[in-house]
Amino acid sequence: MYNATRRTVTLSLLALLAACGAPKSKFKTYDGPAVTQVVINKGQRRMYLLNNQTVLKSYDIGLGNEPIGDKQFEGDGKTPEGIYFIDRFNPRSAYHLSVGISYPNEEDKAYADSFGLAPGGDIFIHGWGPEGNVKAPKMRDWTAGCIAIKDDEIEDVYAMVRGGVPVIINP
């Protein structure tokens, strides 16, 4: 009788676990219209994914901890302004997922070099991750120059954009 009860409990637990399903994957799929550009308006703290002139999605964003002005030098805490491109994807980001932006370009490098300084780099659109989950609810702009959105939102962006898509970052 003990073995029958034990077997019943074990089967019940297995059935309960199966009903709960597998953990949700952070990798979504997307089969809608292609994202042809990403537009970021720093002053409005909004990011738009567009197909030509049609807005597919829009998001509230956080910026670098010095949000006003164009990024010029490493460590200035600013988010760049200008035209860049999606150039890489990081599925193992410390910020849930991240999509790289091609900053610095040749002009950015030359400007910083004229002052004998480095332009900085590693600018991403990324999720909050553990750091952002602590900082973002308390402060709007907390990154070192990146564009931050909620973790579930970066999952959408990661699925929707492709390498080479232009990223227009306005003041």
Side-chain angles (χ1 to χ4, degrees):
M1 181 147 140
Y2 174 75
N3 283 338
T5 303
R6 186 174 170 186
R7 185 176 305 136
T8 302
V9 169
T10 301
L11 290 173
S12 296
L13 286 173
L14 288 173
L16 180 63
L17 287 173
C20 292
K24 180 183 163 255
S25 172
K26 64 182 178 180
F27 299 105
K28 295 180 179 178
T29 58
Y30 175 73
D31 63 0
V35 174
T36 58
Q37 64 179 315
V38 177
V39 175
I40 296 166
N41 293 331
K42 289 171 54 175
Q44 296 173 337
R45 302 300 191 287
R46 292 291 288 175
M47 179 173 75
Y48 302 90
L49 303 185
L50 290 97
N51 172 271
N52 299 317
Q53 299 302 313
T54 302
V55 174
L56 300 173
K57 293 267 190 169
S58 66
Y59 305 96
D60 290 326
I61 60 171
L63 300 169
N65 55 36
E66 294 293 333
I68 297 176
D70 188 12
K71 181 164 195 61
Q72 298 175 328
F73 310 113
E74 184 173 37
D76 65 9
K78 296 181 180 183
T79 301
E81 296 170 1
I83 300 173
Y84 300 95
F85 298 91
I86 300 296
D87 68 350
R88 61 203 181 279
F89 295 82
N90 184 358
R92 291 183 279 288
S93 172
Y95 299 97
H96 193 60
L97 292 170
S98 59
V99 177
I101 297 173
S102 63
Y103 177 89
N105 60 29
E106 292 307 315
E107 186 178 300
D108 298 320
K109 291 174 191 173
Y111 183 83
D113 191 50
S114 73
F115 289 89
L117 297 170
D122 283 339
I123 300 297
F124 287 87
I125 301 167
H126 62 65
W128 284 5
E131 182 179 353
N133 284 319
V134 171
K135 291 182 177 181
K138 297 174 188 162
M139 37 190 305
R140 180 180 219 172
D141 301 314
W142 56 273
T143 76
C146 295
I147 296 96
I149 57 179
K150 294 177 182 176
D151 288 350
D152 62 325
E153 295 170 338
I154 191 61
E155 291 174 5
D156 292 337
V157 172
Y158 196 92
M160 293 174 74
V161 301
R162 299 289 173 254
V165 169
V167 179
I168 296 97
I169 306 174
N170 300 309

